[in-house]
Amino acid sequence: MTVYRGTVLDTPTSPFDGGGLRAEVDAGIAVEHGAIVDRGPFAQVRAARPHDEVVDLTGGVVLPGLVDTHVHFPQVRVIGGLGKPLLDWLDGPALPEEARMADVDYPGVIAGDFVDGLARAGTTTALVFGAHFAPAVDVLFERAAAAGLRITAGLVVGDRKLRPELVTTAEQAYADGLALAQRWHGKERLRYAVTPRFSLATTPGLLESCAALLRDVDGALFTSHVNENPAEIAAVAQLFPECAHYVDTYDRFALLGRRSVLAHSVHPIDAELDVLAATGASVAHCPSSNSALGSGLFPLQRHVERGVRVALGTDVGAGTGFSLLREGLQAYFMQALRGFPLTSAHLLWLATRAGAAALDLEDVGDLSVGRQFDAVWVRPPDGSTLDRVLGHAADADDALAKVFALAGTADIRGTWVAGERVRLLS
Ligand code: GUN
Ligand code: ZN
């Protein structure tokens, strides 16, 4: 058994639903076999286990491990490709870079950078868009297992309107996906996600094969993109004239449920929000990507008021980095501009427990007894601006706001999954 000592901040219940920040200064968290078995004032938790190892995480704050509900593995090297809207950005730089995943060695190099990027940012759990090539997805799963992260990922599939080397068929998509799921789904902390790129790259036949795979792999997730950009939305409407709207292109094939995550949803109509709410599907809000591609200002308040579950994603590489703390700040900026100001507790909720719920993970997302010890220690270097202002925070909510405003990867001192330190691969 191990006792972790530090100032612990988490959000066990949604601030959108009356919950708030739980803050415990000088707390002790007792962990056995990866799970939290006790928490409370350090002196009390320690007194009950005087002989256990103590891990000192005092100074700064301990947060639940961050959950990234939308991030693209093959896009590490296109981060920062600014200046284009979605469809032009996909044409170049994004999809030419994704085509390089057909190479034998290249995916390993990128997978190392990708997994380290998550860990260094304090991300412990992620729903990952894999590659269009099955061997590259194998490499991603291998590296994620070596690091110890909780990763749900899948083969990205499309059967029209893509570069020829990225195109598959409905039959091949099913066969490749099933083989990958058989190798990885449920192994260690890994799960499979059925991942059509977006309706714009699919025929109805491919979406049917996705539905079959989702039915046949017990507990698999579903993820894709939706309503990101007006030109994309118009093109999808032309391809699927029989569908009521973009969300319907997925719903019609029974792809939406409590284990479904759709990225963006920047331009939904109310009927789409009602379908998302009724099916229990979640939206991955990716604020830095939405700004970088000029996609639009996410209507968070409408999602919340209509009962749609929302969490955060970095959307690397349209997004500008792996930090969910920065995504939280960007979400705050956007909603402040929309007249829907958020608190630091909302940001932490979106970056942790909301993400775990979106990924249908009951045992992570906050640091309650019974959950796994997935945690990140934010400990700024002595004398840094964050260090100085944290020392003068008015209260815990204010301290957390300062973390969102100022923390970078240099302030992430450690990341744990199930009580094990995440291993950097390079
Ligand atoms: N829609 C389809 N593919 C992508 C992608 O790679 N990134 C983003 N942001 N949107 C997409
Ligand atoms: Zn994306």
Side-chain angles (χ1 to χ4, degrees):
M1 187 121 65
T2 304
V3 178
Y4 296 86
R5 177 180 194 176
T7 292
V8 177
L9 306 180
D10 65 356
T11 45
T13 51
S14 171
F16 293 106
D17 251 350
L21 185 64
R22 174 169 63 175
E24 218 171 337
V25 177
D26 201 16
I29 296 183
V31 174
E32 190 172 16
H33 304 304
I36 300 172
V37 294
D38 191 11
R39 70 170 274 176
F42 172 74
Q44 190 181 307
V45 172
R46 176 66 174 157
R49 312 166 174 74
H51 305 298
D52 290 345
E53 180 201 7
V54 173
V55 177
D56 184 358
L57 307 181
T58 52
V61 296
V62 177
L63 306 176
L66 303 172
V67 180
D68 191 342
T69 63
H70 185 72
V71 57
H72 294 255
F73 149 55
Q75 295 183 1
V76 179
R77 293 200 183 171
V78 297
I79 292 173
L82 304 178
K84 290 183 176 179
L86 173 66
L87 298 180
D88 296 340
W89 177 83
L90 286 171
D91 281 347
L95 296 187
E97 175 68 8
E98 295 224 6
R100 299 181 71 191
M101 287 287 141
D103 191 81
V104 176
D105 298 323
Y106 193 62
V109 177
I110 300 300
D113 291 348
F114 178 78
V115 165
D116 284 355
L118 295 176
R120 286 184 202 279
T123 298
T124 50
T125 296
L127 175 57
V128 181
F129 256 66
H132 283 269
F133 307 96
V137 181
D138 277 318
V139 171
L140 169 66
F141 277 124
E142 268 163 35
R143 301 297 153 94
L149 292 169
R150 294 185 201 279
I151 296 293
T152 304
L155 180 73
V156 182
V157 294
D159 65 345
R160 63 170 150 178
K161 293 192 175 290
L162 289 172
R163 303 164 65 85
E165 59 277 47
L166 302 184
V167 170
T168 187
T169 62
E171 296 72 29
Q172 193 69 45
Y174 180 90
D176 288 346
L178 186 64
L180 280 163
Q182 284 168 344
R183 283 198 287 283
W184 300 106
H185 185 61
K187 302 260 165 67
E188 315 230 347
R189 299 166 187 146
L190 310 174
R191 294 181 302 169
Y192 195 76
V194 177
T195 312
R197 181 154 214 116
F198 55 168
S199 294
L200 185 49
T202 66
T203 64
L206 185 76
L207 291 173
E208 269 166 24
S209 94
C210 288
L213 186 58
L214 194 60
R215 272 195 308 273
D216 293 348
V217 180
D218 196 30
L221 275 77
F222 172 80
T223 191
S224 195
H225 295 93
V226 78
N227 283 324
E228 182 174 1
N229 165 291
E232 168 217 21
I233 295 165
V236 168
Q238 281 214 321
L239 284 185
F240 291 87
E242 67 285 8
C243 289
H245 40 63
Y246 198 156
V247 167
D248 191 35
T249 63
Y250 302 120
D251 187 42
R252 192 165 278 243
F253 295 95
L255 293 166
L256 300 184
R258 291 191 68 78
R259 283 194 298 273
S260 304
V261 179
L262 295 177
H264 301 294
S265 190
V266 178
H267 307 283
I269 59 172
D270 286 347
E272 294 181 289
L273 296 180
D274 290 343
V275 172
L276 294 174
T279 56
S282 294
V283 165
H285 170 36
C286 307
S288 77
S289 165
N290 292 343
S291 293
L293 298 180
S295 301
L297 286 172
F298 179 66
L300 176 61
Q301 188 171 3
R302 283 178 58 219
H303 284 73
V304 170
E305 285 174 358
R306 293 193 98 89
V308 181
R309 307 192 308 155
V310 177
L312 280 181
T314 61
D315 198 23
V316 157
T320 52
F322 286 103
S323 172
L324 281 161
L325 296 176
R326 209 170 54 180
E327 292 301 328
L329 182 67
Q330 291 290 333
Y332 172 80
F333 288 159
M334 279 199 186
Q335 299 313 316
L337 290 169
R338 288 199 71 122
F340 189 54
L342 303 173
T343 66
S344 60
H346 287 106
L347 307 185
L348 187 63
W349 164 262
L350 289 169
T352 56
R353 184 69 203 118
L359 272 52
D360 200 30
L361 290 171
E362 263 320 300
D363 54 356
V364 298
D366 64 47
L367 295 167
S368 298
V369 170
R371 306 261 203 227
Q372 297 282 294
F373 186 73
D374 284 20
V376 53
W377 183 29
V378 182
R379 169 70 165 97
D382 291 341
S384 63
T385 303
L386 178 55
D387 176 51
R388 299 221 164 136
V389 301
L390 265 184
H392 298 281
D395 54 25
D397 291 86
D398 188 37
L400 183 60
K402 287 167 167 40
V403 167
F404 274 102
L406 283 165
T409 45
D411 304 304
I412 307 291
R413 286 286 184 94
T415 309
W416 288 261
V417 172
E420 286 173 21
R421 252 191 125 118
V422 175
R423 296 172 284 278
L424 292 177
L425 301 183
S426 55

